Amino acid sequence: MSRQPHSIDELQDIVSRLPSTRNEDWKYTDLASARDISSRWLAAGRESLSLALQDEVEAVTHAIDANWIVIANGELQHPVDVNGASRLDDAPSSDTALAELNAALLKDGLRLRVEDALDKPIGILMIDGTEDASVSQAYVEIEFAPGASGEIIEYHASKGDADQYANTIVSVAVGDAASARHLRVQNRAAHHVQTGHTSVSVGRDANYTMSGFDLGGGLIRNDVIIDIAAAGAEVSFDGLYLAGEGQHIDNHTRVDHRVGPARSRQEYRGILNGHCRCVWNGKAIVHEGADGTDADQANHNLLLSEKAEIDAKPELEIYTDDVKCSHGTTVGQLDETSLFYLRSRGLDKRHATQVLTHAFASDLVARMPVDAAKEALATVVEHRLAELLDSDPDTFS
Amino acid sequence: MTYEGKDLLDLEPEERAREGIFLGFQYPVEIPGVNNAYLLKTAVNAKRKHQGLGEVDAFEFLKLAREKMAALGMDPKFLNRGVNEGFSGGEKKRNEILQMAMLEPKLAILDETDSGLDIDALKAVAEGVNSLRNPDRAIVLVTHYQRLLDYVQPDFVHVLSEGQIVRSGDKSLALELEDKGYDWVREAASA
């Protein structure tokens, strides 16, 4: 069984329908570069030689002890010998242009089924790197059987100076009384573009914990959609975004509470320096009859430069009475008193700033759900933070 | 404002610290997420680097920090907490003295270190200060009360009013002040 191949014109048509800034959900994020890269790549015959990626693959898979599956430039790297993992021919068709593009151009989909308790995390490394401009798709379906438990790492990386656009879709189904821990790391090369869509359905008395770290990339848009359709669900997710000169990182989240009682909490934090822009839009919808819902969302931003911009928007829609909902958003600079205190102990301004920005991020690093990745991730975050501080020459002048 | 040939007002806060000046804060700031041991070690190393010395050995550092903490009556678990995070008033002041003890400054200025302390904390802080007294180190205690001076016997007492030293003396001046109040000095100064 295989999908109908699309003609170039059909593909160009899908590309032209990718969301524009006229769409309220995409008001701050312009996908012009994604359209441009896709269109050029289609016109050039959809061929681009892969760069050697072995070093980059090993840098990740050796640093984090997990059973790794590698998808390079949209192709599964064999052998995939992870229990419960299999190749998928097709992605489901959907009503958005991004999903259509994904389904139309998908080379290898991946399906993972976690049957009982995983003794080791499963890692999925999606890495891209080509000599000329290219576009890649990834589609991953993860299913936790009722009562199953385990940790999944989703790692996005890329290499090279050529333009890259990656469009990824990850769908997670957490069965009744299952417990899923999900770490998502985006550490793409500068200037690369990614749209990532994560949808999660959470079963009765199930537990879903996620952390997303956006460390690299040029233009990044993440959509996280969580659907709570059974009582007793516990959902907790965090996001950390570090944006330096020239970066644009947009996180859109949506949690649908369809029944209660259930709990969801989210906390996103951003550190921005230089000319960059980040977006956080967190939506929680408590549907009619979802009594006993407890939803909490928080977004905190640290702006180290006057040139940095954050557009933060919490949205609560509540259609029932018996609920507990809260949200809070803060945007601020480093605390001058703390900065002075550290400097009075001999730390120079840059070092003191690094220590304080690190502290701002440290809760989320400490809380991240996959222990096996904690040390490696802490190192990557620290390294990235140091780069970030140096990305704007004005910050310490 | 010249100290050892350098204009202090020209120096950044970190440069003053590396020159051997320590400022003990009246209200030490809480910095969640910054480990107390990390700050202590980084501060010690920043000064050592300035002096052209290598970084302190991690094992030696911990041993020394634990000794100093024991002397100040501090639980070693405070090393692994965030800087002053959730510390009581007395614990914060002990932490300041701990930093001073580790940094071994040439000049220490302790700004109302005695404010808000119960008697046990006051004694511990005073012992910490006394243990650092030596002929090569100057310690300036800023206080409103005699109480601290029962435990730390000052060599000199200066009375500061409106930014000026209006009277100087030995420890008996503090006792006289306690007896007669500050108005007495102010009136004498303006007369």
Side-chain angles (χ1 to χ4, degrees), chain A residues 228 230-235 257 259-264 290-295:
Chain A
I228 299 172
E234 284 270 346
V235 171
H257 281 270
V259 293
R263 256 170 65 86
S264 75
D291 291 328
T293 289
D294 184 347

Side-chain angles (χ1 to χ4, degrees), chain A residues 17-94:
Chain A
R17 287 188 284 108
L18 292 182
S20 82
T21 52
R22 285 190 299 275
N23 180 332
E24 181 65 24
D25 277 343
W26 292 81
K27 192 173 160 187
Y28 301 111
T29 297
D30 188 351
L31 286 183
S33 55
R35 281 192 295 274
D36 173 58
I37 297 166
S38 306
S39 175
R40 276 190 284 137
W41 173 75
L42 287 170
R46 298 158 61 171
E47 289 300 327
S48 188
L49 278 178
S50 176
L51 297 171
L53 297 170
Q54 198 51 37
D55 289 351
E56 287 71 20
V57 168
E58 284 177 3
V60 174
T61 57
H62 289 184
I64 302 171
D65 188 23
N67 289 318
W68 284 98
I69 298 166
V70 179
I71 302 173
N73 296 312
E75 292 176 20
L76 271 171
Q77 305 298 292
H78 294 285
V80 177
D81 59 353
V82 172
N83 242 348
S86 56
R87 184 182 172 277
L88 270 181
D89 281 335
D90 293 314
S93 61
S94 171

Side-chain angles (χ1 to χ4, degrees), chain B residues 27-44:
Chain B
Y27 301 110
V29 63
E30 295 194 18
I31 316 180
V34 178
N35 183 278
N36 212 24
Y38 175 84
L39 173 60
L40 266 184
K41 191 160 164 244
T42 307
V44 167

Side-chain angles (χ1 to χ4, degrees), chain A residues 341 343-347 351, chain B residues 12 14 18 23 43 96 99:
Chain A
Y341 188 83
R343 294 178 73 190
S344 78
R345 298 298 178 252
L347 282 69
H351 194 171
Chain B
E12 298 288 350
E14 60 269 31
R18 292 171 194 170
L23 176 63
E96 294 290 286
Q99 292 177 4

Side-chain angles (χ1 to χ4, degrees), chain A residues 154-397:
Chain A
E154 181 193 336
Y155 203 110
H156 301 268
S158 67
K159 178 189 184 181
D161 299 324
D163 289 336
Q164 292 268 342
Y165 167 44
N167 180 34
T168 62
I169 296 180
V170 174
S171 149
V172 184
V174 187
D176 293 348
S179 169
R181 299 171 73 78
H182 183 183
L183 169 67
R184 183 184 181 283
V185 181
Q186 180 278 115
N187 195 13
R188 289 189 177 270
H191 313 305
H192 288 175
V193 179
Q194 177 171 9
T195 47
H197 189 279
T198 307
S199 60
V200 185
S201 68
V202 189
R204 176 175 295 273
D205 298 325
N207 203 307
Y208 176 71
T209 307
M210 193 260 268
S211 280
F213 291 82
D214 278 291
L215 309 173
L219 175 71
I220 301 294
R221 161 71 179 235
N222 299 313
D223 281 276
V224 174
I225 316 283
I226 297 179
D227 196 86
I228 299 172
E234 284 270 346
V235 171
S236 169
F237 61 109
D238 292 326
L240 177 70
Y241 44 95
L242 307 180
E245 192 68 27
Q247 281 184 282
H248 179 112
I249 301 173
D250 177 346
N251 277 291
H252 265 64
T253 72
R254 171 181 169 140
V255 182
D256 282 281
H257 281 270
R258 298 184 194 280
V259 293
R263 256 170 65 86
S264 75
R265 60 155 295 281
Q266 64 171 298
E267 180 171 347
Y268 275 70
R269 289 190 178 207
I271 301 173
L272 290 71
N273 192 25
H275 190 268
C276 64
R277 187 176 195 179
C278 290
V279 181
W280 175 79
N281 190 122
K283 190 185 276 190
I285 304 172
V286 184
H287 293 262
E288 202 178 328
D291 291 328
T293 289
D294 184 347
D296 177 38
Q297 46 177 237
N299 172 234
H300 303 294
N301 298 282
L302 193 53
L303 270 58
L304 302 175
S305 159
E306 289 175 0
K307 290 173 277 184
E309 177 175 337
I310 171 77
D311 298 289
K313 188 175 169 193
E315 289 183 73
L316 277 174
E317 291 178 25
I318 302 172
Y319 302 102
T320 194
D321 292 331
D322 176 22
V323 296
K324 205 173 112 195
C325 289
S326 61
H327 64 80
T329 297
T330 60
V331 177
Q333 283 88 42
L334 279 181
D335 178 46
E336 286 294 332
T337 318
S338 301
L339 205 54
F340 182 77
Y341 188 83
L342 295 180
R343 294 178 73 190
S344 78
R345 298 298 178 252
L347 282 69
D348 63 33
K349 195 177 172 194
R350 191 195 171 287
H351 194 171
T353 304
Q354 190 180 338
V355 167
L356 291 177
T357 49
H358 190 269
F360 183 81
S362 66
D363 282 357
L364 299 196
V365 175
R367 221 160 46 207
M368 70 95 151
V370 180
D371 282 344
K374 201 163 271 184
E375 204 180 307
L377 194 72
T379 307
V380 176
V381 167
E382 194 165 331
H383 176 75
R384 180 63 196 133
L385 267 178
E387 272 181 4
L388 193 73
L389 296 188
D390 296 328
S391 89
D392 180 7
D394 296 339
T395 303
F396 302 103
S397 62

